[in-house]
Each structure stands twice: as C-alpha cells, then as structure tokens.
Amino acid sequence: VLLLSKVFSANMDQGKIIDYAWSVSIVLGMDLLVNWDKKLFSLTRYVSIAMALSCLTAIFQFYNSDFFWNLRYSFGLPDSQVLREQFFSNIKVSGLAYYGVQLGYQISVFFPLALYALNEELFSKKVSMLICSIFILASLCLQSITSLLTTFISLTIFNN
C-alpha cells in the first residue's frame, strides 16, 4: 500500500490513492480467502521446519556443542546484563531465539502447529514424527515448566 501511494502520489490526489490502496487490499484479501488452506499449509510447513532447526540447535547447545553456541552468538547480544551473563555462561539453551524464554514461547506456540501438520499429513509420517520429537526434546533441554506443560497438553488434545 505504501509503495502504491508513493507511485501514484505524484499524479493523483489523496482520495484516489486511498481508493487504489483499498482496491489492491480487497484483491489481495480475496486471494487470501480463496487460497486460505493452501497458504496455511505452506506457512505451517515453513514454520515447523524453521522451528525444528532452532529446537535442534537448542538440543546441541544443551550438550555444549561449541558450533551451535557460536551460531547463536553470531546473532548479537542481549541488552540486559543478566541475560548477557546467562548468554556467556551457556546456562540456558536458546536455540536460534534471542534467549531461552523466547524459545519457550516459540515452542509453546508452534508445537501445536507441528502437531496440526502431523494430523493433516502436511509431511510424511516419519518427517512429522521427527519434527514433533525435536520439539519435545528441545522443550526438555530448555527445562521450562511452561513449555513442557504446553507440549504435553497439546499432545493429549491432538491425540484424542
């Protein structure tokens, strides 16, 4: 919408720009509604794979693999002094997230999505089971009660 407003702003008044922006938004919105299931399935696949990679990183961090800690260090340092101490002492795994608490939130949100991918057969059964296992192992390595509770509640809900 901003790009359209820049392109048309030289030749048109403000009212016409808004009309064009609404038209484009409606067309894009209709495409989203019509192809919602395909887009949701694609998004679920990509997010599940990305989160599985972050969780796999956390698992290797738990076993003190220098490569995976250095991979996380390459994304920058936290602002808080407490988080920096935790960061440099390798106390709490973080995967590719900014720090461990964020990884816990991500697992809590995206593990049910991975179970959805398993139930909808978005991946082969083996790949889905592998992704879900990686999520569970990362949740255990994170040692966060909230993410552990979320994964086990999600397992009981999606298995019924």
Side-chain angles (χ1 to χ4, degrees):
V1 175
L2 289 174
L3 179 63
L4 285 175
S5 67
K6 290 290 184 189
V7 170
F8 292 116
S9 63
N11 300 330
M12 297 180 199
D13 63 337
Q14 192 69 21
K16 291 197 180 214
I17 294 170
I18 292 173
D19 288 342
Y20 280 110
W22 274 110
S23 300
V24 169
S25 299
I26 289 171
V27 169
L28 292 175
M30 291 304 290
D31 178 59
L32 182 67
L33 286 175
V34 169
N35 297 315
W36 176 252
D37 57 340
K38 293 177 190 171
K39 291 185 187 319
L40 181 65
F41 288 164
S42 293
L43 179 67
T44 302
R45 273 192 212 110
Y46 296 133
V47 168
S48 296
I49 291 170
M51 276 304 303
L53 291 174
S54 182
C55 288
L56 195 60
T57 303
I59 293 167
F60 284 111
Q61 287 173 345
F62 182 76
Y63 291 107
N64 288 320
S65 172
D66 288 335
F67 174 77
F68 290 98
W69 280 110
N70 291 334
L71 181 64
R72 171 56 195 95
Y73 296 153
S74 68
F75 290 114
L77 297 174
D79 296 330
S80 167
Q81 184 62 30
V82 174
L83 291 176
R84 283 184 185 208
E85 289 173 15
Q86 185 183 78
F87 191 74
F88 287 120
S89 62
N90 298 347
I91 299 172
K92 187 118 171 145
V93 300
S94 60
L96 297 176
Y98 198 57
Y99 53 93
V101 174
Q102 283 186 340
L103 179 64
Y105 291 151
Q106 292 169 356
I107 290 172
S108 297
V109 170
F110 294 116
F111 181 68
L113 204 60
L115 287 175
Y116 172 77
L118 176 66
N119 287 340
E120 292 295 319
E121 297 177 0
L122 299 180
F123 298 107
S124 69
K125 196 77 160 174
K126 289 180 183 179
V127 171
S128 292
M129 292 299 288
L130 178 67
I131 289 173
C132 288
S133 299
I134 289 171
F135 270 85
I136 293 169
L137 284 174
S139 184
L140 291 169
C141 291
L142 185 61
Q143 300 172 352
S144 167
I145 294 172
T146 306
S147 65
L148 283 170
L149 189 61
T150 304
T151 54
F152 290 120
I153 289 173
S154 299
L155 280 171
T156 45
I157 290 172
F158 276 96
N159 283 335
N160 288 333

